[in-house]
Amino acid sequence: SSTQGSSRTDRASPSPHPAAMVIIDVKRSEKKNEFLYETTVKIGVQDLLRELCDVHNLRLKVLRLAVTCKELAKHGPIRPEETRGISESLNNISELDVNAYGQPTNPDEHGYRTGCPPPPEVADVLTRTAEEAEAAVSVELVAQRRTLERETIQTQIDNMRGAVMIAYPAYHRLPAYDPTRMELEDKEELDGVTDLQAVLDWTHTNLWWAGKELQMSSTLEQYIGRNEKTKIIAKLAPKSAGAPVREPRIDENTHKAMLAHYYKKQEEQKKLQSDEDDSYLDAEWANPKALKSSLVGGGRPINWRPGGGR
């Protein structure tokens, strides 16, 4: 029957809801490098650390690539090193040709880029793709309770690669030293310290939770238990840096509410102190003769004439 057939179909179809997973709020010393990651309690700490460092590094790569793509769309490729920073006025007294790439259509005021961006419609694609990539890995995802996956980040890199290929097919007229091309070819030079360059090597990184360093030979389950419906805050820190600062006991919103409450109380106290103690005596209800005045003559002032008559 149709009823039996539908029941068999229901049993065979996979569950639309995936199994509950552990949510890790991954932090570093800077708030802007925070993200959420989904995993399971069965994972080994070493594998987890490797995955977290990978996601962290790829996320930084997306942000770096997005910045360079927007600059590429605005002012074109970067100049050769020997002509960077040379203005038009200095170009007249120099043997170097800062416009060797072409006549600038949108000059870079800092003199680092050629000033020859791609056509406007292509530049718009580059800019829009870069902005979408930034939004896809933004720290704002934490407030939205959205996790970050390696596949999602890689998709954004591929999208920006496609946009660059539209503007510069097969890197034609995009120099090998341009930051965008170097990022896409994985030849970028990073110092490991500067903003967006603080990448982590998992072999030199520790994972911390609840003030404890998680040991590589253990599983996550040995620390947080078997419950998959768990959310924890973990921190990535270089081994050379020691233990990271522990999390505050109250969250940021509660802290702001408390500060606002104490500030309000403080202002009220200041206002009370600034008032004179006898300022209330000016009020009608504080007049000690109010009752007598209301009884004698109905509250009207009494006029006395010489001779004792009213």
Side-chain angles (χ1 to χ4, degrees), residues 103-249:
Q103 192 61 33
T105 56
N106 186 24
D108 178 10
E109 58 180 3
H110 302 293
Y112 277 87
R113 291 185 174 268
T114 60
C116 303
E121 61 276 8
V122 179
D124 288 343
V125 172
L126 258 177
T127 302
R128 186 173 65 252
T129 306
E131 290 174 348
E132 289 173 356
E134 286 179 323
V137 300
S138 170
V139 70
E140 301 299 327
L141 296 180
V142 175
Q144 300 169 15
R145 300 181 181 179
R146 293 168 57 189
T147 57
L148 205 54
E149 299 177 355
R150 191 187 193 286
E151 292 73 19
T152 303
I153 304 174
Q154 189 61 52
T155 299
Q156 300 306 320
I157 294 175
D158 293 340
N159 289 347
M160 286 187 282
R161 187 191 307 275
V164 171
M165 285 296 123
I166 293 173
Y168 302 92
Y171 297 128
H172 177 63
R173 285 181 61 77
L174 187 62
Y177 50 79
D178 187 86
T180 304
R181 180 170 175 177
M182 292 178 72
E183 287 284 354
L184 292 174
E185 293 181 338
D186 295 325
K187 295 178 180 178
E188 66 273 26
E189 297 176 358
L190 307 176
D191 58 19
V193 179
T194 314
D195 190 29
L196 300 185
Q197 297 188 24
V199 294
L200 292 171
D201 181 352
W202 74 269
T203 60
H204 296 94
T205 306
N206 287 331
L207 183 62
W208 294 78
W209 169 73
K212 293 181 287 189
E213 178 189 339
L214 306 192
Q215 300 301 314
M216 297 289 188
S217 57
S218 305
T219 62
L220 193 58
E221 184 180 20
Q222 292 175 256
Y223 291 96
I224 69 171
R226 298 179 180 178
N227 185 9
E228 293 281 4
K229 297 181 180 180
T230 304
K231 181 179 178 181
I232 65 172
I233 297 176
K235 290 197 172 185
L236 295 170
K239 290 183 177 180
S240 58
V245 178
R246 297 194 68 166
E247 286 294 299
R249 293 182 180 273

Side-chain angles (χ1 to χ4, degrees), residues 34-54:
E34 182 180 358
F35 63 91
L36 297 181
Y37 189 74
E38 195 174 46
T39 187
T40 172
V41 294
K42 300 296 183 183
I43 192 170
V45 171
Q46 179 172 315
D47 293 334
L48 176 61
L49 177 60
R50 189 178 302 182
E51 290 178 10
L52 293 180
C53 288
D54 197 21

